[in-house]
């Protein structure tokens, strides 16, 4: 829901998808309530996953990695030739510690590309906690790292990310950088646990 809030505040219409259209509509109501008083006239609605993907020019895939392959298979007809942004981070947890659990392709985003090469895969937005994004008043004060093999798709996503309040989009290179972005989620979870904080990443010197 956090990304839906920020994308709507960036001025774009949003269709929230869910396996349960009723749950999607309820989430859309929540997002509308959050952004409604902030002079934002983006439309936010909810729909089943396939309809949401079908109605959208670009799609954000924000689901557990375990559900990735089946969801891509189901949505494939609606994803072809579209920009599809993966925030997915395959993780495992042991003794209270998070670790990266990448698939053989190297990252969730690369596995997605291998499965559906006709979509324009972009990896990004991994290094923010959802509960930070969902607060429309919070200035993010961090970088949004975006990676893709499709330069135009990457620039289009960076253009939206640059409209997130307080944030700066950073070109993280080819889709292969998703390995580091997804792995950083595990590291940030551990850092945030140690410091009882919501740390994010900032690249200095650029
Ligand atoms: N949360 C964060 O701060 C954060 C930060 C960086 C990266 N990520 C990554 O972003 C992704 C989503 O994170 P999250 O915390 O939002 O995860 P989540 O709450 O576990 O899942 C997000 C949504 O995915 C759908 N879903 C769950 N199981 C599914 C299944 N088997 N098949 C299809 N859809 C399923 C559910 O929606 P419906 O039940 O409505 O369909 C659920 O609300 C994960 O891969 C995570 O690693 C999260």
């Amino acid at each position: 829901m956090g990304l839906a809030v920020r994308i709507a505040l960036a001025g774009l219409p949003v269709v929230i998808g869910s396996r349960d259209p009723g749950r999607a509509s309820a989430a859309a109501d929540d997002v509308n309530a959050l952004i409604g008083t902030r002079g934002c006239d983006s439309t936010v609605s909810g729909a089943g996953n396939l309809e949401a993907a079908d109605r959208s020019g670009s799609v954000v895939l924000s689901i557990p990695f375990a559900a990735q392959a089946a969801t891509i298979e189901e949505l494939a007809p609606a994803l072809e030739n579209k920009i599809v942004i993966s925030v997915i981070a395959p993780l495992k947890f042991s003794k209270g510690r998070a670790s990266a659990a990448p698939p053989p392709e190297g990252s969730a985003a690369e596995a997605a590309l291998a499965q559906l090469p006709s979509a324009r895969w972009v990896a990004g937005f991994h290094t923010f906690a959802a509960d930070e994004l969902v607060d429309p008043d919070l200035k993010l004060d961090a970088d949004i790292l975006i990676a893709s093999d499709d330069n135009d798709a990457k620039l289009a996503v960076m253009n939206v990310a640059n409209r997130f309040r307080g944030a700066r989009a950073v070109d993280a290179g080819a889709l292969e950088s998703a390995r580091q972005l997804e792995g950083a989620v595990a590291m940030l979870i551990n850092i945030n646990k140690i410091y009882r904080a919501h740390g994010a990443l900032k690249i200095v010197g650029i």
Side-chain angles (χ1 to χ4, degrees):
M1 205 166 84
L3 270 176
V5 167
R6 296 287 169 164
I7 292 170
L9 288 172
L12 296 173
V14 175
V15 187
I16 296 176
S18 168
R19 292 168 293 179
D20 173 353
R23 200 152 55 232
S25 295
D29 290 345
D30 290 345
V31 173
N32 278 315
L34 281 165
I35 64 171
T37 55
R38 285 162 183 85
C40 168
D41 56 9
S42 298
T43 56
V44 181
S45 56
N49 280 332
L50 188 56
E51 185 190 332
D54 218 23
R55 282 168 52 192
S56 303
S58 303
V59 175
V60 176
L61 217 49
S62 177
I63 53 172
F65 177 66
Q68 173 172 302
T71 304
I72 292 173
E73 191 180 338
E74 183 199 341
L75 303 185
L79 300 182
E80 281 178 1
N81 303 314
K82 287 183 185 169
I83 295 175
V84 186
I85 303 149
S86 170
V87 301
I88 295 171
L91 302 176
K92 60 182 182 219
F93 292 86
S94 171
K95 297 180 182 155
R97 211 176 62 216
S99 322
E105 292 84 353
S107 64
E110 291 167 281
L113 174 68
Q115 184 181 351
L116 189 67
S118 58
R120 305 171 70 193
W121 290 99
V122 175
F125 302 98
H126 302 80
T127 50
F128 290 95
D131 49 0
E132 295 249 288
L133 293 174
V134 85
D135 177 353
D137 295 320
L138 189 79
K139 201 164 166 257
L140 294 172
D141 190 26
D143 288 339
I144 300 177
L145 288 91
I146 311 282
S148 179
D149 295 339
D150 180 327
N151 221 34
D152 290 342
K154 181 163 57 181
L155 290 175
V157 175
M158 288 175 68
N159 186 33
V160 175
N162 270 323
R163 286 187 253 161
F164 284 21
R165 187 163 175 250
R168 175 184 66 160
V170 170
D171 186 338
L175 197 71
E176 189 182 299
S177 293
R179 299 172 187 199
Q180 285 73 41
L181 299 180
E182 295 172 13
V185 177
M187 181 185 68
L188 283 168
I189 289 171
N190 296 329
I191 289 174
N192 288 336
K193 192 171 171 201
I194 293 164
Y195 287 89
R196 296 174 197 274
H198 290 293
L201 293 186
K202 224 175 191 177
I203 309 295
V204 297
I206 55 170

